[in-house]
Amino acid sequence: MNVPAVMLLIHLTHIHLKALETSWVEGGVRCPLGQFPCGNTSECLPQVLQCNGHKDCPNGADERQCGDNIGWADLFARTLQKTNPVDQYFLNECLLQEFPESCDCIQTDVECVEVSLQDVPSLSPNVTWLSLRSNEIRVLSDFVFSEYSALERLFLQNNSLHFISKHAFSSLHNLKRLFLSENLISFLSPGVFGDLNQLEWLMLDHNPLSSLSQDTFTGLQSLMYLSMVNTSLQQLPHPSFCQHMPALDWLDLEGNQIQTLNYSILKTCSKLEVLLLIDNRIRTIPENTFQSLWKLAELDLSRNRIRELPKNTFKSLSKSLLKLNISHNPLLRIHPSHFHHLTHLQSLALEGIEIADIQTKVFLPMKNLSHIYFKKFQYCSYAPHVRSCKPNTDGISSFEDLLANMVLRVSVWVMALITCFGNLFVIGMRSLIRAENNLHAACIKVLCCADCLMGVYLFFVGVSDVKFRGQYNRNALLWMESAECRTIGFLAMLSSEVSVLLLTYLTLEKFLVIVFPFRNLRPGKFQTGKNC
Ligand SMILES: *[C@@H]1O[C@H](CO)[C@@H](O)[C@H](O)[C@H]1NC(C)=O
Ligand SMILES: *[C@@H]1O[C@H](CO)[C@@H](O)[C@H](O)[C@H]1NC(C)=O
Ligand SMILES: *[C@@H]1O[C@H](CO)[C@@H](O)[C@H](O)[C@H]1NC(C)=O
Ligand SMILES: *[C@@H]1O[C@H](CO)[C@@H](O)[C@H](O)[C@H]1NC(C)=O
Ligand SMILES: *[C@@H]1O[C@H](CO)[C@@H](O)[C@H](O)[C@H]1NC(C)=O
Ligand SMILES: *[C@@H]1O[C@H](CO)[C@@H](O)[C@H](O)[C@H]1NC(C)=O
Ligand SMILES: *[C@@H]1O[C@H](CO)[C@@H](O)[C@H](O)[C@H]1NC(C)=O
């Protein structure tokens, strides 16, 4: 149990909280920094009660607008709205002359789901929507769709596709969305998508692709959304990934084995708005990597192996980035200038990252930040201007700030008791036994008293721990400001200073006695020493 450390912590927290007591204005309502108004009322509630799943404002405003839809969720909703006009005709009639019996047909849409098809069935040429999901198709041979040039959406997920011939998709000039997820595709010939000039979505998730060349994507000049989750990719095609996909807006590469990312790979991806690289093996990110991505709004680098980030990595994204996730990386250090430029950022996730030298100035430049995610609850107090900070108190005894665990809590009480009773006992015994050296006896009594004060201090720390358990943060400011806190702080300080001084005095005296034994020989000296 390190008494001075606990003391120091209390005082540092105290100083820190004091420093944050500047005013905070939002929507005309004045709240102290670290607090946020209850909707349009003048009531203020601390950060920790915002979005904690419990209504604390009388009007419940603290639980409103808590969802973090920043980034792709928002963009996706907008994209869908744009490209998905509500169908005006509720016509269930089939407009095709020919389609397999096992399939369903509505207007020009054909659905053949889980019907054990082994080949692409023959259909009328004006089919626009074809789902062959969950069948047993193994091979797509050349020109297999060449008659269906009216096709706009083609679903081939969850088949056993392992070979796609180079001209399989030829003449699908109107295709907008192509789903090839959950197959066994390990190779895509260069130019296989060459005719898909209108393609906007391409889903290749869960295929054992492992490698790709830049020419695989030739012809995809309208592609906006490319999803390659869990495709065992070791490397992004280089020298430049988006060379044939100039409109690429959204790239999902979650769950691959990508190790390098650099400027030249992303150079041509200047339209990119969402880049997801979750769960890869990226170790380093050169400073200029994102320099060409001037539209990037969401960047997710979580669950990689990044140990160090150059200071200006995100600098070029300062005008665009709204959401950044670098959680679960073994980052050694978070430098203030990492986020310095990200003034538009609204959501920042730093889960699972130990921030040794956390400072308020790291987060303050991000004025528009509304969601922040940390490893520890206690970091939240360093971002008091952010409304929603996770984790909040739920499930955590928040006094853990001071008494981090059970061992610490128990030791506070044990030490308090031992210190108090031990010292009282010594004082009592000393008073009973006739002292031979009065000065010395007095010294030791004072020393005991001082020590006793430390016991009292610990006792109070323990009591306030129990008192504020589970809601420490709510009371932290009040407690730090209170007279009791200051008084016991003073007692602790007094105790240690008196102890140090007295011990110095006693040690010095003893030293002199040993060095000059005869000059200072007095009866009783060594006897006294035994009791010390
Ligand atoms: C707050 O807003 C609600 C509706 O959003 C309104 O009914 C109410 O009058 C407002 N209260 C004040 C004090 O402006
Ligand atoms: C489908 O194509 C056939 C001939 O190719 C044509 O007669 C028919 O009108 C078309 N139907 C629709 C709904 O376009
Ligand atoms: C994949 O297809 C099989 C049948 O072919 C089906 O049993 C299974 O549920 C499908 N899986 C998914 C995720 O659709
Ligand atoms: C990744 O894809 C492979 C097939 O390529 C599949 O066996 C595996 O279950 C997938 N993993 C996850 C986490 O989806
Ligand atoms: C970028 O990464 C690729 C793939 O690892 C590598 O071949 C290329 O040399 C790198 N470029 C630079 C400028 O480091
Ligand atoms: C950040 O990434 C982690 C790990 O991939 C994920 O669990 C978390 O939900 C992400 N946070 C946000 C805000 O997207
Ligand atoms: C912060 O958000 C507000 C409202 O959403 C917006 O008007 C303002 O421009 C943003 N500021 C910055 C620096 O992004």
Side-chain angles (χ1 to χ4, degrees), residues 329-492:
N329 276 294
L331 273 175
L332 298 175
R333 192 167 140 70
I334 296 284
H335 197 270
S337 61
H338 278 138
F339 311 121
H340 196 75
H341 317 277
L342 300 175
T343 47
H344 292 250
L345 204 69
Q346 294 175 16
S347 170
L348 175 62
L350 300 169
E351 291 154 81
I353 299 178
E354 193 78 45
I355 311 175
D357 51 348
I358 189 165
Q359 292 162 316
T360 313
K361 71 169 187 219
V362 179
F363 308 104
L364 271 182
M366 297 178 279
K367 294 270 184 285
N368 266 7
L369 209 56
S370 60
H371 292 78
I372 196 162
Y373 305 83
F374 283 122
K375 178 181 185 182
K376 294 181 186 162
F377 160 69
Q378 75 196 74
Y379 293 160
C380 283
S381 59
Y382 293 87
H385 67 296
V386 185
R387 177 164 168 247
S388 167
C389 181
K390 300 275 160 61
N392 49 29
T393 31
D394 286 8
I396 312 166
S397 167
S398 46
F399 205 72
E400 278 174 2
D401 280 7
L402 253 53
L403 307 179
N405 52 39
M406 209 56 204
V407 176
L408 220 53
R409 269 184 228 152
V410 171
S411 6
V412 164
W413 285 102
V414 171
M415 290 298 287
L417 289 178
I418 292 179
T419 322
C420 280
F421 287 113
N423 282 307
L424 286 177
F425 177 72
V426 173
I427 294 174
M429 291 306 279
R430 283 256 127 204
S431 309
L432 288 182
I433 299 168
R434 201 179 62 84
E436 282 146 65
N437 181 336
N438 281 333
L439 177 67
H440 240 141
C443 258
I444 285 181
K445 276 187 202 162
V446 172
L447 187 61
C448 286
C449 282
D451 243 9
C452 217
L453 287 185
M454 190 54 90
V456 171
Y457 169 77
L458 285 176
F459 178 73
F460 270 101
V461 169
V463 167
S464 27
D465 171 35
V466 173
K467 191 164 138 198
F468 297 131
R469 175 120 350 123
Q471 45 179 344
Y472 169 68
N473 208 59
R474 199 182 312 190
N475 300 297
L477 241 163
L478 230 78
W479 161 241
M480 296 293 169
E481 294 291 284
S482 68
E484 299 129 67
C485 179
R486 289 181 185 197
T487 314
I488 66 162
F490 170 74
L491 288 186

Side-chain angles (χ1 to χ4, degrees), residues 48-99:
V48 64
L49 298 183
Q50 303 281 340
C51 306
N52 65 350
H54 181 266
K55 285 186 182 173
D56 299 285
C57 287
N59 60 2
D62 59 318
E63 296 304 314
R64 260 181 254 139
Q65 284 160 13
C66 289
D68 183 358
N69 281 338
I70 298 148
W72 73 262
D74 209 20
L75 293 169
F76 197 66
R78 265 187 270 152
T79 318
L80 281 185
Q81 259 167 20
K82 238 187 334 195
T83 56
N84 239 3
V86 184
D87 205 350
Q88 303 281 327
Y89 313 99
F90 299 99
L91 196 63
N92 286 342
E93 206 181 308
C94 184
L95 302 178
L96 302 178
Q97 274 106 23
E98 190 191 354
F99 67 94

Side-chain angles (χ1 to χ4, degrees), residues 38-42 59 64:
C38 282
N40 54 5
T41 64
S42 60
N59 60 2
R64 260 181 254 139

Side-chain angles (χ1 to χ4, degrees), residues 244-263:
H244 302 293
M245 302 178 282
L248 198 65
D249 166 289
W250 189 320
L251 179 56
D252 190 348
L253 293 166
E254 178 173 350
N256 286 291
Q257 283 134 42
I258 298 164
Q259 297 181 10
T260 36
L261 192 66
N262 60 31
Y263 172 72

Side-chain angles (χ1 to χ4, degrees), residues 50-319:
Q50 303 281 340
C51 306
N52 65 350
H54 181 266
K55 285 186 182 173
D56 299 285
C57 287
N59 60 2
D62 59 318
E63 296 304 314
R64 260 181 254 139
Q65 284 160 13
C66 289
D68 183 358
N69 281 338
I70 298 148
W72 73 262
D74 209 20
L75 293 169
F76 197 66
R78 265 187 270 152
T79 318
L80 281 185
Q81 259 167 20
K82 238 187 334 195
T83 56
N84 239 3
V86 184
D87 205 350
Q88 303 281 327
Y89 313 99
F90 299 99
L91 196 63
N92 286 342
E93 206 181 308
C94 184
L95 302 178
L96 302 178
Q97 274 106 23
E98 190 191 354
F99 67 94
E101 262 177 39
S102 53
C103 303
D104 296 324
C105 165
I106 299 174
Q107 299 186 42
T108 54
D109 300 353
V110 174
E111 196 172 7
C112 310
V113 176
E114 258 186 75
V115 290
S116 307
L117 286 178
Q118 303 202 334
D119 277 308
V120 177
S122 53
L123 301 154
S124 292
N126 33 24
V127 56
T128 58
W129 196 101
L130 176 60
S131 174
L132 300 172
R133 185 163 57 85
S134 301
N135 283 294
E136 290 155 20
I137 302 169
R138 295 168 54 81
V139 171
L140 291 180
S141 46
D142 279 344
F143 308 109
V144 63
F145 296 107
S146 62
E147 298 212 348
Y148 313 132
S149 58
L151 261 184
E152 289 180 10
R153 310 215 177 160
L154 178 56
F155 301 88
L156 287 160
Q157 310 96 303
N158 192 22
N159 277 279
S160 313
L161 281 177
H162 61 86
F163 180 69
I164 298 182
S165 185
K166 189 172 177 199
H167 299 288
F169 300 117
S170 77
S171 73
L172 290 175
H173 295 288
N174 291 306
L175 198 64
K176 293 228 159 58
R177 300 192 186 173
L178 175 57
F179 291 75
L180 292 168
S181 321
E182 293 161 76
N183 279 294
L184 302 169
I185 305 164
S186 57
F187 176 71
L188 286 168
S189 346
V192 67
F193 305 120
D195 275 357
L196 309 182
N197 308 131
Q198 297 290 319
L199 198 69
E200 290 173 355
W201 290 24
L202 176 57
M203 316 301 245
L204 289 166
D205 305 341
H206 306 295
N207 278 295
L209 276 171
S210 76
S211 75
L212 282 178
S213 88
Q214 181 185 304
D215 297 327
T216 307
F217 301 110
T218 315
L220 297 175
Q221 63 208 37
S222 308
L223 197 69
M224 287 164 61
Y225 183 10
L226 176 59
S227 183
M228 303 211 302
V229 176
N230 181 28
T231 51
S232 316
L233 272 190
Q234 316 259 343
Q235 213 175 46
L236 288 176
H238 54 277
S240 84
F241 184 66
C242 306
Q243 184 163 32
H244 302 293
M245 302 178 282
L248 198 65
D249 166 289
W250 189 320
L251 179 56
D252 190 348
L253 293 166
E254 178 173 350
N256 286 291
Q257 283 134 42
I258 298 164
Q259 297 181 10
T260 36
L261 192 66
N262 60 31
Y263 172 72
S264 67
I265 292 174
L266 296 174
K267 186 172 57 188
T268 44
C269 302
S270 59
K271 290 275 172 62
L272 219 50
E273 281 191 84
V274 177
L275 177 56
L276 309 176
L277 286 158
I278 306 158
D279 195 13
N280 275 282
R281 300 192 180 158
I282 300 167
R283 285 176 191 280
T284 53
I285 295 199
E287 198 159 31
N288 61 354
T289 305
F290 305 112
Q291 230 162 49
S292 57
L293 309 183
W294 58 278
K295 281 184 86 175
L296 200 66
E298 171 165 0
L299 177 59
D300 198 327
L301 292 168
S302 61
R303 291 196 266 135
N304 274 284
R305 303 188 178 164
I306 306 165
R307 294 174 70 81
E308 264 176 275
L309 271 178
K311 283 180 195 164
N312 289 322
T313 314
F314 306 121
K315 188 175 178 182
S316 50
L317 305 175
S318 64
K319 295 256 161 34

